[in-house]
Amino acid sequence: MDVEAPKDSDQRPAPPARGKAMQRFLVALNCGMLTLGTTGGPLLSRLYFSKGGHRKWLSAWLETGGWPLLLLPVAASYLSRRAQDPSALVVLTPPRILLAAAGLGLATGADDFLYAYGLSFVPVSTSAILISTQLAFTVFFAFLIVRQRLTALSVNAVALLTVGAVVLGLHVSSDRPAGVSKGQYWLGFLLTLAAAALYGLVLPLIELTYKRAAGGGRVVTYALVMEMQLVMGFFATAFCTVGMIVNNDFQVRCPCHSPLSPHSTRIPLGSTEPSALEFP
């Protein structure tokens, strides 16, 4: 007994260490996926529009269309809880928090559409700078909604980003894509700013929702966050799906010949030429 007691005490710190390592791994994984999406997504969207694509709702839908992938961590979390406690809840998030996440998802869907519409008329570099002004809107709304304290660094960053947006506005003709009129460029410019403003509002509201979820001594776990993100992604995608239906984006034209047929034709990326088959 005297020999085994120290052995047990030595093993107690191990689970927290493994838990901390898992938290760091999950944070690094999410940061990596976020970096990949924020850099590759705009490039692919702009390539689609530059090659003749015109379906803004489809481009917006693709921004959150991968929400079913979140079912994997949510299901894994539930199975882990079920293994430890057979009576574990299937959903950790309270209903009122899920309702708030649904509303945030609809706002995210609207933001996706504004961003996609703006990106169809402005180059990626301009869009990236305009979207970065989201920081200014986030600081402003965070101060109003969650009472976040302003610092000198945040104020300086807001000032620099604002100056950058103004400089872009004064040089409209220098970076306007070919085939885009001045009016269309300004429309894309303003819609991209609107997308930055709307998402700058959504982020503090998400933080406020997390604070409400943590009420009553509840811990905001990774599983709870994933459940909220799943609901937000679903409703954002549903919002864009309704827009696609209204805009008749499901009328996809495709070639009727087999790729193995010698008579098949290659359709360029983004082409809108009609073909023999049209699906409703």
Side-chain angles (χ1 to χ4, degrees):
M1 296 293 292
D2 294 337
V3 177
E4 293 181 357
K7 195 179 293 184
D8 293 337
S9 62
D10 293 339
Q11 292 178 354
R12 284 174 188 171
R18 288 196 298 267
K20 195 171 184 179
M22 179 57 69
Q23 289 178 356
R24 291 177 178 175
F25 170 74
L26 292 175
V27 171
L29 179 63
N30 281 270
C31 289
M33 292 189 295
L34 182 62
T35 302
L36 180 63
T38 53
T39 54
L43 292 174
L44 292 176
S45 296
R46 184 56 208 165
L47 177 64
Y48 167 74
F49 289 120
S50 65
K51 295 299 182 179
H54 64 282
R55 301 182 188 275
K56 281 84 171 178
W57 281 111
L58 173 61
S59 180
W61 187 93
L62 292 174
E63 295 183 35
T64 54
W67 66 267
L69 294 176
L70 295 176
L71 290 171
L72 296 177
V74 171
S77 174
Y78 169 69
L79 293 176
S80 177
R81 296 195 309 269
R82 184 68 183 271
Q84 300 175 3
D85 181 10
S87 60
L89 296 175
V90 178
V91 179
L92 293 177
T93 311
R96 60 188 181 89
I97 301 300
L98 291 177
L99 183 61
L104 291 171
L106 294 177
T108 303
D111 181 78
D112 291 342
F113 177 70
L114 292 175
Y115 175 73
Y117 209 113
L119 188 60
S120 65
F121 295 136
V122 297
V124 175
S125 57
T126 302
S127 176
I129 295 176
L130 293 176
I131 284 296
S132 65
T133 60
Q134 164 198 318
L135 173 61
F137 296 107
T138 301
V139 169
F140 174 72
F141 288 120
F143 176 75
L144 295 179
I145 297 174
V146 295
R147 303 301 179 186
Q148 182 172 333
R149 185 173 60 89
L150 295 177
T151 64
L153 290 177
S154 61
V155 173
N156 289 335
V158 168
L160 290 174
L161 290 173
T162 303
V163 171
V166 172
V167 171
L168 283 175
L170 295 176
H171 298 80
V172 173
S173 60
S174 61
D175 64 343
R176 192 167 72 241
V180 176
S181 65
K182 189 173 182 178
Q184 290 176 328
Y185 182 93
W186 272 110
L187 178 61
F189 190 97
L190 295 176
L191 288 178
T192 305
L193 274 181
L198 180 55
Y199 203 66
L201 173 62
V202 168
L203 289 179
L205 289 177
I206 292 176
E207 183 177 353
L208 181 63
T209 305
Y210 286 152
K211 288 185 176 181
R212 294 289 187 268
R218 188 183 298 105
V219 178
V220 180
T221 62
Y222 184 81
L224 188 144
V225 172
M226 287 295 100
E227 289 175 1
M228 284 187 55
Q229 293 296 323
L230 177 65
V231 174
M232 290 174 58
F234 171 79
F235 278 92
T237 308
F239 179 87
C240 295
T241 302
V242 174
M244 291 177 65
I245 295 174
V246 174
N247 200 45
N248 293 325
D249 280 358
F250 286 102
Q251 288 186 335
V252 180
R253 296 186 176 101
C254 65
C256 61
H257 297 294
S258 168
L260 301 178
S261 171
H263 303 290
S264 61
T265 57
R266 184 180 298 275
I267 296 182
L269 179 63
S271 175
T272 58
E273 294 181 2
S275 56
L277 291 181
E278 181 170 351
F279 295 97

